[in-house]
Amino acid sequence: MKENVIILGGGIAGMEAARQLLLLGERPVIVERADHLGGHVADWHRLFPDKSPAEDLLEGLRPGLEGAEIHLGTTVSSLNALKDGYNLTLSDGSKLHGRALLFATGFELFAAERKEEYGYGIYNQVITNRDLERWFNTGKDSRLSGRPLSKIGFVHCVGSRDLKAGNPQCSKVCCMTAIKQAIELKERFPFAEVYCFYMDLRLFGKKYEDFYIGAQRDWGIHFIRGRVSEVAETLDGRVVVKAEDTLSGRPLKVSLDLLVLMAGMLPNPSATALARQIRLDVDDDGFLRSRDNLAGIIASNRPGVFYAGACTGTKTVPETLAEARSAALAIHNYLQDAK
Amino acid sequence: MNDRIASGFAPFVIPFVVGMVFVLGYCFYALVKILLQLPREDRVRFLRSLVTPRCIWKNVRDIFCDCLLHVKLWRRNPLLGYMHSSIAFGWFMLIVLGHVEVMLFVPHRIHFLYYPIFFNYFVAETSETIQGAALFFLMDFFLLIVLSGIALAMIKRVRSRWFGLRRTTRPSLLDRVGLYSLWSIFPLRLLAEGFTAHISGGSFLIVPLNWLFRQFLGNDMNMLPTWWAYSAALCVFMCVLPFTRYMHIPAEMLLIPMRNAGLTIRHPRRGLARVEVFSCPGCGVCIDACPMTVKKANTRDATVYLNRQIRRGNERRIEEISDKCLLCGKCTAVCQVGVEGPMLRVAQRATRHYGLEPDFSGLDTAPVQNNMERFEGAPEGERVAYFAGCMTQLTPGISRSVESVLKKAGVDYRFIDRDGGICCGRPMLTAGRFHQAWQLIRKNSELIRSSGCNVLLLSCPICYKVFREHYRLEGIRVVHHSDYFHELMEQGRLRVEKGDLTYVFHDPCELGRGSGIYEQPRRVLGCAGYLTEAEKNRRESICCGGSLGSLTLGFSQREDITKAALRNLTEGGPDVVVTACPLCRSTFRRYADRPVWDLAEALDKQST
């Protein structure tokens, strides 16, 4: 009888790891708190750099999960380490035992209300990157419906690289997501002016730079280097954004119909709480600490505990998938060695 | 009473006379120097106050209450109060009564400086002494009082917590010399008078002591050495006094009339600042009070150390301490002498020369002017201009609530900086860049006058304090929203329903200590729900750590300050922390485990 490999989190990391473990002949068990698999990707409409539908990615992962035990809408109430593995009590009262444990717990999106100066939750014209993707997916958002959008702004680094918001990390994906979303809005509202307020553009991956140049050249999106200082509402139901254009060295004020905040990635607090129960190291940025940051990213400080995806830091989709495969292989080897 | 020594002189008085002449000479020199350092108008103002009857009375009363009786210390901790007033008042009474004795019994000796101090040595008891029994009794009584104070002072060195002091300063070497000589003066006086009492007479303390000594000492050989020792102790104390913290004794007597004359610090080292620095008794009450000292590394940035460094002339540390301070003003609030630590620091900052001097005189206010909501014509009655200021612009939740409350109360208002405005000038003031601050203040004054208002409503206490103290807005009432909303409730223009939430109110530095508004926000909250109090509140409220005052305190260093302030607020388990400052609110929200609201938000939720 094969022993369980427990996967905490059913996002793309958990799904891909489970798929690979099944291929390797192991018995993965996914515990997911939401009522569906897919994590944050399931909330997304299209993914950079090719604007491929997020649903296609998930669709590619799902068939490989046949045979895996999946607990949806379930959280872990307690977790303890035994001599021969890990014991979990689930929120439905059942118990699970696993020889190995994979944290695929992902990240939490920064709560944009915390940057009150941007007015999220106060002004109807202010939404987040996730709200926009949901709207692309569902077409439903009371803040967006029935309004012509002629001027749109994007604020980069909301809750990322921001000490005052308690997160000095770069969230890595928002620069590209903002460019992607800007282009997508431009596709829907070809006559709209779109502004991106950024402090740095971090476009490091394959095709990213082309995408950025295309956004300027082909879509006419304006990139303004400077952080937004404050957002206020005007009497005619728009928002005024005040920023500084640091390249021209001038303060700038622009009225917008829609402002999209690129909320960043924060450590998932429930993952941190679980990690503490079995004394896993937590890094000073709040993410789980890998054994080392070059060759041991998926390894933890405890035998039998592995990491995949954004639980150890901010990750892109391909990085997450690669880590999931790598973790699956490491778990397989670990179980083989234990025999 | 008879003169025992015909010449009225004994060699042992020499050390005392030397010390006394030195200290008086030094104080006179210091007084002249400080008067010359004062700007002319301040000097005239000060000297004029010294001959104004009302001021004279106030000075006498304050000096008596503060320097001798230490009334403020009594309020802080009775044991500490007793210790200080017993020594100061007791000693003062010994000197006064000594003079009375001389005038009464040997009036021809009154011009001898040392006679009242060594009176018992120079006189012999006669049959008529009984008439002076009450005086003798009082002398012994006050000596006993002083001795009890000295005993407490010794205990305080090892058990400072009994006196309500958690942390205190480490005295420097000279301070220790002064301290030990002060401690030894009165026991030596007791011994000297005890050895002499069979000749000079005395009362309940020294007569039995004399009897006791005579039981096993058959001669008077100890008499002269103890008088010498007593005189020497006095000499040492007075000679080191100008260089120790005991300089606060004469300095405070100058500080009180200067403050009563309305002088303010103009220069970080000269004039009033110098008097304040020398008035610091080095007690260290400000160490526990300073919000920065939750981190032990910051202990040496408390005001007491600033004073010490200024006295030593350690420029590097003076700059460092001056820049780091949050300017919350709590050290001044707890200081017995009232040393204005924040003002000393701002004055120090003002001496700095910057390579780049921004010039706001050319600031174009036309765009603000053109987009400003204003009162056209001059409608009758109250015309309220709401100025949110930059901090409230960053917290739109507050300005929304303020507007909502104003609408509910039917107030005719204009949100004059809805579309942007000009800085009130406070950051430039705290940085000591007064010239730039004045440029902003002038521009802003024009804008506010052009709004046509007669009430200027502010939701930010930082703006409020600056508008109140530095702006000349004749005919315009400057009011903070906590005060104004309280008024609206009193007038019945705003109906408030009592909710079931428990609030704790955090006194923002600029509103409480800075502007003296403590009651109004509490009354408003008391109507909107249930009010609990934090352990440290009102004048002793702990700064949130977000203050603009500090020029160098890093973000991570402020975290501990904020957390400590939050602990103080949440200990009683309130549902919501309420404050009346957008900056405090943002700072607390970063680390709070429960909602943090502005007063306007709490009121908006409960009012109709």
Side-chain angles (χ1 to χ4, degrees):
Chain A
M1 168 85 184
K2 280 277 179 193
E3 292 200 70
N4 288 334
V5 176
I6 294 165
I7 300 175
L8 303 176
I12 53 165
M15 290 168 83
E16 175 65 9
R19 197 171 74 98
Q20 296 293 339
L21 282 166
L22 283 170
L23 290 174
L24 291 163
E26 304 294 346
R27 244 182 74 83
V29 182
I30 297 180
V31 182
E32 166 58 45
R33 68 177 166 191
D35 59 0
H36 60 272
L37 292 176
H40 291 284
V41 173
D43 286 342
W44 240 246
H45 178 57
R46 283 165 190 265
L47 303 172
F48 65 79
D50 298 325
K51 291 192 278 178
S52 40
E55 186 50 35
D56 288 2
L57 174 70
L58 296 178
E59 210 46 61
L61 294 175
R62 272 189 210 113
L65 292 179
E66 251 166 65
E69 185 182 330
I70 299 171
H71 298 263
L72 290 175
T74 311
T75 55
V76 180
S77 324
S78 79
L79 172 60
N80 35 339
L82 305 174
K83 217 160 138 193
D84 61 339
Y86 296 90
N87 219 351
L88 286 83
T89 309
L90 301 182
S91 55
D92 57 13
S94 62
K95 288 199 186 297
L96 259 182
H97 178 267
R99 182 84 200 178
L101 196 57
L102 176 66
F103 275 77
T105 43
F107 64 91
E108 189 180 66
L109 206 67
F110 177 81
E113 300 90 328
R114 282 171 54 194
K115 291 295 284 180
E116 194 182 343
E117 56 268 43
Y118 298 153
Y120 183 70
I122 296 176
Y123 307 132
N124 265 336
Q125 304 80 349
V126 184
I127 65 171
T128 62
N129 41 4
R130 176 163 60 190
D131 296 337
L132 185 63
E133 293 285 344
R134 275 201 188 135
W135 180 65
F136 286 151
N137 264 337
T138 62
K140 282 182 202 150
D141 192 315
S142 58
R143 292 168 293 191
L144 284 159
S145 55
R147 289 196 301 129
L149 302 179
S150 61
K151 271 190 174 183
I152 301 164
F154 283 84
V155 185
H156 290 228
C157 299
V158 176
S160 308
R161 301 178 70 196
D162 185 348
L163 262 182
K164 286 189 173 175
N167 183 31
Q169 302 299 313
C170 168
S171 295
K172 227 177 191 180
V173 298
C174 337
C175 284
M176 271 300 282
T177 306
I179 298 173
K180 177 192 74 94
Q181 291 183 343
I183 292 175
E184 283 172 298
L185 279 178
K186 199 76 180 167
E187 285 168 353
R188 284 161 201 248
F189 306 99
F191 299 107
E193 294 287 341
V194 181
Y195 302 89
C196 284
F197 298 94
Y198 69 94
M199 54 172 160
D200 284 313
L201 285 173
R202 298 193 159 179
L203 305 165
F204 51 90
K206 186 178 162 72
K207 283 174 138 186
Y208 290 9
E209 191 68 22
D210 300 343
F211 207 69
Y212 165 54
I213 290 168
Q216 294 181 81
R217 188 189 51 210
D218 305 336
W219 296 99
I221 292 163
H222 308 285
F223 286 85
I224 296 160
R225 197 185 80 181
R227 295 189 90 160
V228 169
S229 64
E230 63 192 55
V231 177
E233 200 173 23
T234 60
L235 290 172
D236 61 349
R238 306 171 98 192
V239 281
V240 186
V241 169
K242 284 186 207 160
E244 186 186 356
D245 185 341
T246 55
L247 290 179
S248 67
R250 279 167 189 277
L252 179 148
K253 207 160 98 173
V254 55
S255 293
L256 301 171
D257 300 304
L258 181 70
L259 185 67
V260 186
L261 307 181
M262 303 310 295
M265 292 187 190
L266 293 185
N268 182 348
S270 39
T272 317
L274 280 180
R276 292 231 156 86
Q277 292 186 27
I278 52 169
R279 299 197 184 173
L280 291 172
D281 290 344
V282 177
D283 234 332
D284 48 15
D285 57 9
F287 288 99
L288 303 179
R289 193 203 296 268
S290 300
R291 202 165 60 205
D292 86 66
N293 285 324
L294 293 174
I297 290 188
I298 54 141
S300 76
N301 60 313
R302 289 193 69 101
V305 177
F306 299 85
Y307 301 139
C311 62
T312 54
T314 57
K315 303 277 158 66
T316 60
V317 168
E319 282 169 343
T320 302
L321 293 175
E323 281 184 17
R325 279 170 218 135
S326 155
L329 194 59
I331 290 169
H332 176 67
N333 291 339
Y334 171 78
L335 295 175
Q336 292 293 317
D337 287 350
K339 271 182 191 154
Chain B
M1 253 11 225
N2 279 340
D3 253 339
R4 193 161 71 82
I5 289 144
S7 64
F9 174 79
F12 71 78
V13 302
I14 292 171
F16 165 77
V17 173
V18 168
M20 196 69 206
V21 167
F22 171 73
V23 84
L24 287 178
Y26 184 91
C27 287
F28 180 72
Y29 160 75
L31 175 69
V32 171
K33 195 171 156 190
I34 280 165
L35 285 181
L36 290 177
Q37 283 176 352
L38 286 178
R40 216 187 111 75
E41 47 174 320
D42 278 6
R43 188 163 53 235
V44 171
R45 196 172 179 181
F46 173 60
L47 293 176
R48 197 168 287 159
S49 83
L50 292 183
V51 291
T52 313
R54 205 165 44 91
C55 260
I56 295 172
W57 160 241
K58 199 161 181 276
N59 290 343
V60 170
R61 191 194 59 194
D62 287 355
I63 289 177
F64 196 76
C65 289
D66 291 349
C67 301
L68 293 177
L69 296 184
H70 291 92
V71 175
K72 285 185 207 153
L73 272 177
W74 276 89
R75 273 185 223 134
R76 176 149 210 94
N77 180 303
L79 205 55
L80 198 65
Y82 175 77
M83 185 197 112
H84 283 85
S85 53
S86 63
I87 298 175
F89 186 64
W91 197 356
F92 172 72
M93 286 310 286
L94 283 178
I95 296 167
V96 169
L97 291 172
H99 282 82
V100 172
E101 280 183 328
V102 174
M103 280 194 278
L104 218 58
F105 299 119
V106 280
H108 56 287
R109 302 287 196 198
I110 191 66
H111 53 278
F112 283 44
L113 187 64
Y114 53 85
Y115 231 71
I117 313 300
F118 305 105
F119 183 71
N120 282 21
Y121 180 81
F122 289 107
V123 295
E125 196 178 22
T126 59
S127 54
E128 77 223 51
T129 305
I130 194 72
Q131 293 167 8
L135 214 50
F136 280 13
F137 171 80
L138 283 178
M139 285 298 273
D140 275 19
F141 174 74
F142 282 112
L143 184 58
L144 186 65
I145 295 281
V146 175
L147 285 169
S148 68
I150 298 283
L152 284 175
M154 293 178 182
I155 296 170
K156 179 174 154 269
R157 278 282 121 196
V158 276
R159 290 268 182 275
S160 61
R161 269 171 193 269
W162 293 2
F163 297 78
L165 293 169
R166 207 154 58 84
R167 280 172 291 186
T168 176
T169 45
R170 259 176 63 88
S172 65
L173 182 69
L174 269 180
D175 278 344
R176 276 171 200 274
V177 173
L179 179 71
Y180 298 139
S181 58
L182 179 63
W183 283 1
S184 57
I185 288 170
F186 297 96
L188 285 172
R189 178 174 178 143
L190 178 73
L191 282 179
E193 291 191 339
F195 283 126
T196 321
H198 63 293
I199 305 171
S200 66
S203 187
F204 68 95
L205 191 63
I206 56 173
V207 169
L209 196 67
N210 184 267
W211 177 82
L212 194 71
F213 287 151
R214 295 181 75 78
Q215 295 308 303
F216 55 90
L217 298 170
N219 54 40
D220 291 338
M221 298 285 275
N222 297 297
M223 207 163 92
L224 213 51
T226 46
W227 282 107
W228 265 100
Y230 171 48
S231 174
L234 279 168
C235 173
V236 171
F237 180 68
M238 288 188 288
C239 286
V240 297
L241 183 130
F243 316 107
T244 64
R245 59 189 194 176
Y246 297 103
M247 191 61 195
H248 78 265
I249 301 167
E252 197 185 351
M253 286 194 279
L254 178 60
L255 176 62
I256 288 171
M258 278 188 153
R259 187 177 298 144
N260 286 346
L263 303 194
T264 51
I265 293 177
R266 307 275 191 108
H267 186 284
R269 312 290 169 77
R270 297 162 68 88
L272 181 60
R274 194 148 199 90
V275 182
E276 290 208 358
V277 166
F278 280 92
S279 296
C280 170
C283 63
V285 171
C286 49
I287 299 176
D288 286 339
C290 180
M292 289 197 298
T293 60
V294 286
K295 263 196 132 103
K296 216 175 159 203
N298 292 336
T299 304
R300 301 227 152 207
D301 299 312
T303 299
V304 61
Y305 287 105
L306 173 68
N307 295 334
R308 189 183 275 190
Q309 301 300 356
I310 290 180
R311 288 181 70 164
R312 289 183 186 165
N314 183 343
E315 294 297 329
R316 189 185 60 81
R317 284 287 294 141
I318 295 171
E319 294 270 326
E320 207 174 284
I321 298 176
S322 298
D323 285 357
K324 208 170 190 183
C325 175
L326 295 157
L327 306 183
C328 75
K330 192 170 170 188
C331 52
T332 310
V334 299
C335 182
Q336 306 312 313
V337 186
V339 175
E340 297 163 292
M343 299 314 293
L344 282 175
R345 288 169 169 100
V346 171
Q348 173 65 31
R349 293 174 186 182
T351 59
R352 195 158 308 159
H353 291 288
Y354 292 89
L356 205 64
E357 293 285 353
D359 181 21
F360 298 125
S361 59
L363 200 67
D364 184 16
T365 54
V368 180
Q369 189 78 266
N370 296 338
N371 293 329
M372 191 166 73
E373 298 175 21
R374 68 184 79 228
F375 290 94
E376 300 300 343
E380 283 296 302
E382 205 181 41
R383 302 185 299 275
V384 177
Y386 172 45
F387 181 87
C390 53
M391 285 296 162
T392 317
Q393 297 284 10
L394 293 175
T395 49
I398 298 178
S399 52
R400 280 215 153 182
S401 299
V402 170
E403 283 199 85
S404 161
V405 171
L406 291 176
K407 277 178 196 147
K408 285 176 192 168
V411 175
D412 184 18
Y413 77 96
R414 302 286 185 276
F415 188 165
I416 57 169
D417 61 340
R418 188 193 299 278
D419 199 37
I422 291 184
C423 173
C424 66
R426 170 76 175 163
M428 282 294 162
L429 284 173
T430 57
R433 305 176 86 162
F434 303 134
H435 179 63
Q436 278 83 4
W438 277 108
Q439 290 178 333
L440 288 171
I441 288 172
R442 242 172 262 133
K443 292 259 169 194
N444 222 346
S445 301
E446 270 171 44
L447 284 175
I448 285 159
R449 279 204 210 94
S450 75
S451 74
C453 68
N454 55 13
V455 176
L456 179 64
L457 176 67
L458 303 152
S459 50
C460 173
I462 305 171
C463 297
Y464 173 61
K465 187 171 180 317
V466 177
F467 277 112
R468 231 172 40 115
E469 292 177 1
H470 298 276
Y471 280 69
R472 302 270 170 282
L473 295 167
E474 294 82 12
I476 298 176
R477 179 186 169 215
V478 177
V479 62
H480 185 252
H481 75 336
S482 57
D483 194 2
Y484 190 69
F485 290 163
H486 176 247
E487 253 176 47
L488 291 179
M489 283 166 57
E490 296 267 279
Q491 295 165 357
R493 293 167 73 183
L494 197 65
R495 274 229 317 281
V496 182
E497 234 171 83
K498 200 176 178 79
D500 45 14
L501 289 175
T502 325
Y503 303 114
V504 66
F505 183 68
H506 165 74
D507 292 284
C509 306
E510 310 275 11
L511 189 67
R513 284 186 289 269
S515 309
I517 294 184
Y518 297 106
E519 293 310 322
Q520 294 91 322
R522 287 184 164 77
R523 283 193 213 128
V524 170
L525 282 181
C527 293
Y530 297 90
L531 184 68
T532 59
E533 287 293 343
E535 192 205 332
K536 299 269 183 217
N537 58 7
R538 295 171 197 260
R539 274 171 68 79
E540 301 212 359
S541 147
I542 305 172
C543 173
C544 69
S547 165
L548 298 172
S550 176
L551 302 181
T552 55
L553 212 56
F555 188 75
S556 53
Q557 287 173 292
R558 291 169 185 253
E559 183 175 338
D560 293 304
I561 301 172
T562 309
K563 285 181 173 165
L566 270 173
R567 266 199 301 282
N568 172 57
L569 288 167
T570 52
E571 229 154 55
D575 299 315
V576 184
V577 175
V578 181
T579 181
C581 170
L583 184 54
C584 295
R585 174 173 162 283
S586 307
T587 310
F588 281 142
R589 277 199 173 180
R590 232 165 259 150
Y591 307 108
D593 58 349
R594 62 199 80 203
V596 183
W597 293 346
D598 186 84
L599 186 74
E601 293 169 294
L603 182 62
D604 188 30
K605 289 183 172 72
Q606 292 305 126
S607 59
T608 45

